[in-house]
């Protein structure tokens, strides 16, 4: 009887409640070889974006557009090689396409499209 019950417990499908299910991963932008990969990224409105510095130099993401106080609409701190950080401000952007750059290497450019 024990063996039968143990077999049923193992074979029974497990369903997690919605709150316990894994959330989808946020999109990631890599800085590699002094470029962004991908350089054009799409995010859903209200979702986050992460920068991972996979390069040997320091990099960040800084929005080209600024708010009424002159601050970038979204940004990360300057990251050392191997560091990662969320792009602060992306989650509150309305749908549109926004340009960004690296404040350390201004020729590094990309766009984020909020849908």
């Amino acid at each position: 009887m024990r063996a039968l019950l143990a077999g049923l417990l193992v074979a029974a499908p497990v369903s997690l409640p919605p709150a316990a299910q894994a959330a989808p991963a946020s999109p990631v932008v890599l800085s590699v070889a002094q470029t962004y990969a991908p350089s054009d990224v799409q995010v859903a409105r209200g979702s986050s974006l992460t920068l991972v510095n996979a390069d040997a130099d320091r990099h960040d993401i800084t929005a080209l557009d600024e708010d009424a106080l002159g601050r970038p609409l979204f940004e990360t701190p300057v990251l050392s090689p191997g560091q990662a950080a969320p792009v602060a401000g992306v989650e509150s952007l309305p749908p549109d396409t926004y340009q960004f750059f690296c404040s350390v290497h201004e020729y590094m450019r990309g766009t984020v499209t909020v849908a």
Side-chain angles (χ1 to χ4, degrees):
M1 182 70 160
R2 277 187 166 170
L4 178 60
L5 286 176
L8 290 174
L9 290 175
V10 171
V14 176
S15 178
L16 297 174
Q21 293 176 0
S26 69
V28 173
V29 174
L30 296 174
S31 55
V32 180
Q34 307 246 337
T35 62
Y36 293 116
S39 61
D40 302 309
V41 63
Q42 293 187 359
V43 298
R45 184 176 189 176
S47 66
S48 61
L49 179 64
T50 301
L51 172 64
V52 176
N53 187 356
D55 204 350
D57 292 316
R58 295 167 32 109
H59 299 293
D60 69 351
I61 283 181
T62 304
L64 196 58
D65 295 320
E66 298 177 337
D67 65 14
L69 299 174
R71 298 176 300 208
L73 291 180
F74 55 90
E75 64 186 337
T76 66
V78 176
L79 302 177
S80 295
Q83 290 185 315
V87 182
V90 167
E91 64 284 346
S92 62
L93 293 172
D96 205 346
T97 299
Y98 303 88
Q99 296 180 2
F100 61 85
F101 67 100
C102 176
S103 68
V104 180
H105 305 98
E106 292 189 14
Y107 54 86
M108 290 177 60
R109 301 280 175 149
T111 61
V112 59
T113 300
V114 179

